[in-house]
């Protein structure tokens, strides 16, 4: 008989290809699929009279067709008017076929489900789902709310729903293992896991609109709590373990480091010096360093990392740097090669997109110890990569990697007696209370000043109907030898849609800014092409670079001093700040133009104003948090905070004190449950960090 802890492949309809996709999302056992929660619920349990339907909600209505025609003014559309006893409702379809027009025959009856809008006099639904019915057909509504699941690339929603239904059936005969002891559940006053899962997948039908979120809140919190607890316990354990572990004490290299600092074309800031000192003291010890280096975009974290690298290499050990994108890995490759050009250090790059023969050659150098500095993406820590003598790991822009990836990496090392030192770099300022939970295993260093001579970036907020004048401005600036970025973000779209949008914008701008040189970079290009374009831009052989958000992290071209960001109103402040950080990296006065689509809501307006007022990443993050009420839809996705499967650090911040307290109890009194709970949540999610 199937149990919740059977392999996911045992479910009906799950072959090897689907198994692989699910595994990739952390779904290995049948139970795991129950942790993919509905994004929202649709209510098809009530058939509304049009007049009584709650406006701006998705509702079920039905009526008789009294008119249908094609409208040619404005955007061409199919217009259908229906009527029930209470009122009339206009249906509009912008995508439709001729046969649809014929289907909507006068006097037929139709049942529709969709978002109902009203301007006070008329009711309207755009693109509802619909079904024709016979007038005397007995009307059966659903008897429960319909959960809507998030889409997973490559898995049809119907298929996913079917798998979850199968799992829920199994759950009826055996509940999932409850790892929170009864005593704990009582103390935190939360439902059992089984209760939580059932209610989240099949909430009670009798709920009305607007009550759903509140009704399921406690169940969602139950899961968030367990996830945060599991993560916190893992981190605490790592911290405890680290104290008993041995690392290479990196003693030599003082002179080399001084010489290196002398050789730089700039003087380190006091904050950089302080951070270096803290790191150098740590790696001198024979316990592994576990340190996070925080610093705003452009504060100069890379050179601090370089100093730590140099120390490691002088001590004849290996150091690995992991970057979230291939683009950034390539850029580090260039910076380090330049900085260390006099030092005869063998630097190699290992990324996912390399040719087999190249890869094998590099793997060999890593294994034999011929390569001392290894720069790469997450490919660095996949099976088959064996370091000869790795003493330091540096993770750049760590927020791009999921919590699990980071922790899995540490755990991988923790099996041997000796562990490498770790330095984790992030540009995301994290309020202390959140940091204590999310980075419970790390010490921290902060670079809180920018290099001298940096001028603040002047930011303008402009509606996109002024685009032509913005283009003139770009043209003008580039003619005078400046370089510019043009970012087409279109968040939440697939990589290929983003690529198409950027390509279209590129073609358009190319015509507009002739004879200037223009380049294009997006996630769908081959690595070699991306690198080539980036190099041309760096060498000032391209004046304007049209890009998707692939350039969001780390890209460093100091001569670029103008940035245009489209659809800025749809992006998080932290993300905009990161993007904007691509300019203002040299001594030139830089400008950032945020284009938005009208009309701009008050909240959106306030948010964009913050960017105009300050260049301070920490202040921006703080404001970003304040402006996100609990009901805000954006979530942590764009804040740069660590991503969890269900929990959301901002939304669930109030749970953190409880999490910390219960973690103490569990680790002391319930070792088995503690172990089980961390196992349940430690499936790594490989989807992070790919851009
Ligand atoms: P981030 O902290 O965003 O990773 P980088 O390390 O990429 O920033 O540094 C941004 C730019 O500032 C680079 O061009 C780097 O060489 C330069 N830089 C770093 N430190 C200093 C300094 N003390 N003075 C002047 N320029 C510096
Ligand atoms: Mg950086």
């Amino acid at each position: 008989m199937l149990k919740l802890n059977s392999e996911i492949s045992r479910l009906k309809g799950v072959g090897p290809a689907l198994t692989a996709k699910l595994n990739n999302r952390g779904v290995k056992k049948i139970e795991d699929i129950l942790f993919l929660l509905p994004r929202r619920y649709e209510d098809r349990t009530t058939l509304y009279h049009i007049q009584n339907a709650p406006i701006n909600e998705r509702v079920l209505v039905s009526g008789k067709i009294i008119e249908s025609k094609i409208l040619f003014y404005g955007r061409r559309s199919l217009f259908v008017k229906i009527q029930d006893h209470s009122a009339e409702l206009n249906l509009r379809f912008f995508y439709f076929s001729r046969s649809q027009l014929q289907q909507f025959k006068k006097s037929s009856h139709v049942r529709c489900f969709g978002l109902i809008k009203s301007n006070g006099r008329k009711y309207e639904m755009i693109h509802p789902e619909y079904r024709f019915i016979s007038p005397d057909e007995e009307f059966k509504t659903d008897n429960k709310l319909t959960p809507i699941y998030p889409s997973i690339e490559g898995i049809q929603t119907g298929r996913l729903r079917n798998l979850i239904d199968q799992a829920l059936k199994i759950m009826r005969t055996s509940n999932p293992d409850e790892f929170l002891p009864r005593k704990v559940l009582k103390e935190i006053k939360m439902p059992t896991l089984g209760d939580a899962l059932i209610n989240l997948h099949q909430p009670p039908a009798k709920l009305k609109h607007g009550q759903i979120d509140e009704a399921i809140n406690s169940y969602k919190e139950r899961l968030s709590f367990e996830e945060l607890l599991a993560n916190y316990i893992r981190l605490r354990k790592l911290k405890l373990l680290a104290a008993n572990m041995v690392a290479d004490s990196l003693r030599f290299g003082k002179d080399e480091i001084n010489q290196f600092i002398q050789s730089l074309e700039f003087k380190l800031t006091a904050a950089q010096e302080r951070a270096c000192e803290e790191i150098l003291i740590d790696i001198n010890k024979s316990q592994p360093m576990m340190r996070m280096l925080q610093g705003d975009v452009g504060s100069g974290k890379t050179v601090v990392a370089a100093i730590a690298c140099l120390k490691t290499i002088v001590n004849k050990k290996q150091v690995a740097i992991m970057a979230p994108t291939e683009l950034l890995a390539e850029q580090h490759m260039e910076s380090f090669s330049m900085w260390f050009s006099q030092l005869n250090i063998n630097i190699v790059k290992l990324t996912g997109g390399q040719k087999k023969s190249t890869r094998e050659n590099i793997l060999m150098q890593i294994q034999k110890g011929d390569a001392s500095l290894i720069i790469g993406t997450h490919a660095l820590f996949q099976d088959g990569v064996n370091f000869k003598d790795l003493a330091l790991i540096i993770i750049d822009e760590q927020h791009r990697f999921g919590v699990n990836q980071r922790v899995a990496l540490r755990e991988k090392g923790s099996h041997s007696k000796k562990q490498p030192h770790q330095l984790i770099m992030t540009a995301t300022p994290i309020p202390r209370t959140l940091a204590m939970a999310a980075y419970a295993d790390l010490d921290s260093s902060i670079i809180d000043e920018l290099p001298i001579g940096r001028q603040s970036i002047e930011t303008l907020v402009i509606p996109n109907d002024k685009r032509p004048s913005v283009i003139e401005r770009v043209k003008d600036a580039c003619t005078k030898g400046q370089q510019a970025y043009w970012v087409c973000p279109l968040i939440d779209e697939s990589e290929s849609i983003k690529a198409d949008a950027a390509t279209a914008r590129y073609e358009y701008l190319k015509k507009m800014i002739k004879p200037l040189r223009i380049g294009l970079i997006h996630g769908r290009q081959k690595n070699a092409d991306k690198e080539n374009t980036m190099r041309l831009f760096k060498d000032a052989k391209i004046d304007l670079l049209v890009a998707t958000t692939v350039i969001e992290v780390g890209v460093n071209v100091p001569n670029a001093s103008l940035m245009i960001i489209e659809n800025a109103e749809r992006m998080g402040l932290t993300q905009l700040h990161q993007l904007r950080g691509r300019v203002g990296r040299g001594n030139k006065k830089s400008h950032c133009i945020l284009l938005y689509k009208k009309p701009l809501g008050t909240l959106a307006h306030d948010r964009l104003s913050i960017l105009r007022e300050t260049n301070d990443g920490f202040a921006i993050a703080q404001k970003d948090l304040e402006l996100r009420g609990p009901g805000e839809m954006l979530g942590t996705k764009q804040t740069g905070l660590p991503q969890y499967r269900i929990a959301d650090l901002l939304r669930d911040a109030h749970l953190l004190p409880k999490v910390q307290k219960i973690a103490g109890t569990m680790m002391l009194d319930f070792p088995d449950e503690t172990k089980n709970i961390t196992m349940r949540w430690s499936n790594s999610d490989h989807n992070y960090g790919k851009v």
Side-chain angles (χ1 to χ4, degrees):
M1 205 179 76
L2 283 187
K3 292 232 179 79
L4 284 181
N5 59 10
S6 310
E7 298 292 314
I8 190 76
S9 57
R10 305 270 308 273
L11 287 182
K12 244 182 266 140
V14 183
L18 188 53
T19 305
K21 277 179 202 151
L22 289 165
N23 284 348
N24 203 29
R25 288 291 296 224
V27 177
K28 304 208 164 112
K29 292 186 287 175
I30 294 175
E31 178 190 290
D32 297 332
I33 203 162
L34 293 174
F35 289 84
L36 293 175
L37 300 182
R39 200 154 35 94
R40 59 188 171 83
Y41 305 88
E42 284 179 357
D43 184 356
R44 297 164 198 244
T45 65
T46 313
L47 178 71
Y48 283 97
H49 293 304
I50 293 169
Q51 186 151 42
N52 300 339
I55 301 305
N56 293 324
E57 299 276 1
R58 298 171 68 83
V59 295
L60 191 65
V61 294
S62 83
K64 191 166 115 182
I65 297 172
I66 52 178
E67 191 182 350
S68 84
K69 61 184 174 190
I70 294 179
L71 295 181
F72 290 98
Y73 59 81
R75 201 167 147 203
R76 188 170 165 271
S77 63
L78 169 60
F79 174 90
V80 179
K81 191 187 285 264
I82 68 168
Q83 184 184 46
D84 70 2
H85 305 298
S86 67
E88 291 176 354
L89 169 68
N90 298 336
L91 312 178
R92 294 249 263 165
F93 300 86
F94 294 105
Y95 306 97
F96 61 95
S97 60
R98 186 143 287 279
S99 67
Q100 261 173 310
L101 172 64
Q102 285 152 6
Q103 274 181 337
F104 282 101
K105 269 198 294 284
K106 237 180 175 168
S107 303
S108 345
H109 286 251
V110 68
R111 184 192 307 181
C112 306
F113 182 81
L115 187 71
I116 189 162
K117 300 227 173 206
S118 166
N119 62 2
R121 288 183 304 118
K122 283 188 200 155
Y123 297 95
E124 185 178 65
M125 261 187 201
I126 306 221
H127 276 279
E129 294 169 36
Y130 61 89
R131 222 187 87 198
F132 294 97
I133 49 173
S134 61
D136 44 357
E137 184 179 323
E138 198 206 328
F139 204 100
K140 265 179 80 185
T141 51
D142 286 355
N143 55 13
K144 52 182 199 275
L145 299 174
T146 316
I148 305 296
Y149 293 98
S151 53
I152 296 184
E153 207 160 319
I155 305 180
Q156 284 179 353
T157 43
R159 171 63 68 82
L160 183 64
R161 186 189 301 272
N162 171 283
L163 298 183
I164 291 173
D165 282 345
Q166 290 185 52
L168 286 169
K169 277 213 189 82
I170 298 168
M171 199 171 127
R172 264 189 229 133
T173 54
S174 66
N175 258 320
D177 292 323
E178 178 63 67
F179 296 139
L180 288 184
R182 199 166 299 152
K183 176 180 156 209
V184 168
L185 280 177
K186 227 171 123 189
E187 181 176 343
I188 59 176
K189 298 197 188 70
M190 282 192 181
T192 61
L193 179 65
D195 263 357
L197 289 174
I198 273 290
N199 278 284
L200 287 166
H201 288 285
Q202 299 176 339
K206 289 291 149 255
L207 292 172
K208 289 248 160 10
H209 279 293
Q211 296 178 335
I212 300 169
D213 288 340
E214 203 187 320
I216 60 163
N217 189 33
S218 65
Y219 300 114
K220 206 161 185 179
E221 281 201 343
R222 167 67 180 77
L223 295 190
S224 301
F225 182 85
E226 187 172 316
E227 183 176 26
L228 290 170
L229 180 70
N231 274 288
Y232 186 72
I233 290 173
R234 270 173 99 191
L235 298 177
R236 284 290 308 278
K237 279 191 174 165
L238 281 172
K239 179 133 199 176
L240 292 174
L241 272 177
N244 294 319
M245 264 183 314
V246 182
D248 288 305
S249 153
L250 305 170
R251 250 170 269 155
F252 310 108
K254 204 164 173 215
D255 295 342
E256 286 85 348
I257 287 174
N258 283 336
Q259 266 165 31
F260 174 72
I261 292 174
Q262 292 299 317
S263 77
L264 292 170
E265 74 264 33
F266 49 76
K267 192 175 166 316
L268 292 184
T269 62
Q272 282 171 317
E273 280 177 358
R274 205 164 47 235
C276 282
E277 198 157 317
E278 287 166 352
I279 292 164
L280 294 178
I281 288 174
D282 272 7
I283 60 180
N284 207 344
K285 293 183 188 157
S286 49
Q287 282 94 46
M289 167 174 78
M290 297 293 161
R291 185 169 286 278
M292 176 155 76
L293 177 60
Q294 258 179 268
D296 207 348
V297 275
S299 62
K301 295 182 289 294
T302 322
V303 72
V304 173
I307 289 168
C309 289
L310 181 58
K311 178 119 195 206
T312 312
I313 297 164
V314 172
N315 283 271
K316 308 221 161 13
K317 304 282 177 193
Q318 287 175 307
V319 45
I321 301 182
M322 177 159 82
T325 63
E326 310 223 350
L327 208 55
L328 190 46
E330 171 59 22
Q331 186 182 284
H332 282 334
M333 187 74 196
E334 285 179 20
S335 309
F336 284 83
S337 304
M338 182 196 69
W339 279 331
F340 294 158
S341 58
Q342 304 300 316
L343 296 174
N344 190 25
I345 292 172
N346 185 17
I347 310 176
V348 296
K349 188 178 79 167
L350 187 71
T351 59
Q354 281 165 325
K355 270 202 307 234
K356 196 158 172 258
S357 56
T358 317
R359 183 179 164 82
E360 272 163 12
N361 177 288
I362 291 168
L363 287 178
M364 191 55 78
Q365 295 188 51
I366 296 174
Q367 190 158 2
K368 280 176 138 172
D370 297 344
S372 12
L373 173 52
I374 302 103
I375 299 176
T377 53
H378 56 289
L380 271 182
F381 296 99
Q382 278 158 5
D383 294 338
V385 186
N386 300 304
F387 295 92
K388 167 123 190 295
D389 206 351
L390 185 64
L392 172 65
I393 299 174
I394 298 175
I395 303 178
D396 194 12
E397 304 288 358
Q398 83 81 32
H399 67 276
R400 281 310 191 93
F401 300 98
V403 184
N404 277 324
Q405 259 178 323
R406 178 171 74 77
V407 177
L409 177 60
R410 282 197 52 178
E411 283 169 344
K412 196 171 167 181
S414 72
H415 299 304
S416 61
K417 256 207 250 92
K418 211 174 78 177
Q419 203 181 23
H421 297 286
Q422 267 195 38
L423 180 65
I424 286 154
M425 308 204 287
T426 179
T428 307
I430 304 149
R432 231 179 86 80
T433 44
L434 301 189
M436 268 167 41
Y439 301 108
D441 55 332
L442 303 175
D443 298 313
S444 111
S445 294
I446 298 178
I447 305 184
D448 53 5
E449 74 185 301
L450 293 179
I452 8 173
R454 286 285 162 79
Q455 300 193 38
S456 63
I457 304 162
E458 192 175 320
T459 300
L460 302 163
V461 181
I462 294 177
N464 62 9
D465 52 13
K466 300 255 166 61
R467 196 182 285 121
S469 71
V470 173
I471 294 174
E472 276 313 304
R473 179 163 179 169
V474 170
K475 202 170 167 178
D476 193 46
C478 291
T479 311
K480 291 184 182 132
Q482 292 187 37
Q483 286 178 280
Y485 295 98
W486 190 293
V487 185
C488 324
L490 272 181
I491 44 164
D492 286 346
E493 303 283 2
S494 77
E495 212 46 57
S496 62
I497 293 179
K498 279 193 232 178
D500 286 348
T503 308
R505 182 58 81 225
Y506 164 77
E507 295 298 341
Y508 170 74
L509 288 169
K510 195 162 145 179
K511 279 198 215 102
M512 302 295 289
I513 69 156
K514 259 182 198 160
L516 293 167
R517 298 157 304 176
I518 182 167
L520 170 67
I521 194 159
H522 62 65
R524 278 287 161 112
Q525 289 166 329
K526 287 208 198 77
N527 283 320
D529 294 341
K530 277 190 258 184
E531 282 165 20
N532 190 32
T533 306
M534 237 21 246
R535 184 149 320 118
L536 289 171
F537 191 56
K538 213 164 202 169
D539 296 344
K541 294 196 171 108
I542 286 175
D543 303 300
L544 175 64
L545 182 61
V546 179
T548 58
T549 44
V550 286
I551 59 152
E552 177 186 339
V553 286
V555 167
N556 186 38
V557 180
N559 191 49
S561 60
L562 177 59
M563 168 166 281
I564 320 297
I565 304 177
E566 294 204 62
N567 292 121
E569 80 284 356
R570 293 175 57 189
M571 302 176 71
L573 287 186
T574 315
Q575 193 182 16
L576 285 169
H577 178 64
Q578 283 273 348
L579 269 173
R580 177 174 68 174
R582 300 308 118 218
V583 295
R585 301 191 143 240
N587 293 332
K588 274 206 205 85
K589 177 79 191 164
S590 294
H591 293 86
C592 175
I593 297 177
L594 304 175
L595 286 177
Y596 66 86
K597 196 171 157 218
K598 282 201 274 199
L600 195 59
T602 1
L603 184 63
H605 174 267
D606 289 353
R607 297 161 61 92
L608 294 183
S609 302
I610 292 168
L611 288 171
R612 206 167 42 195
E613 283 154 21
T614 177
N615 278 286
D616 175 348
F618 205 90
I620 289 169
Q622 205 67 37
K623 281 278 189 214
D624 202 7
L625 301 192
E626 283 166 24
L627 283 182
R628 277 161 200 263
E632 258 241 65
M633 294 303 290
L634 282 164
T636 46
K637 204 156 176 192
Q638 295 171 31
T639 57
L641 289 170
Q643 300 288 299
Y644 298 86
R645 269 151 79 184
I646 291 171
D648 176 312
L649 267 191
L650 292 181
R651 187 191 64 209
D652 300 320
H654 64 285
L655 297 176
L656 294 175
K658 264 192 245 171
V659 166
Q660 285 169 319
K661 174 148 186 279
I662 298 298
T665 317
M666 297 271 299
M667 287 167 81
L668 214 58
D669 298 341
F670 302 98
D672 291 342
E673 287 84 350
T674 303
K675 197 162 141 213
N676 286 331
I677 225 164
T678 50
M679 291 270 286
R680 171 181 277 154
W681 292 93
S682 65
N683 283 330
S684 60
D685 185 338
H686 298 290
N687 286 302
Y688 296 110
K690 286 187 190 161
V691 178

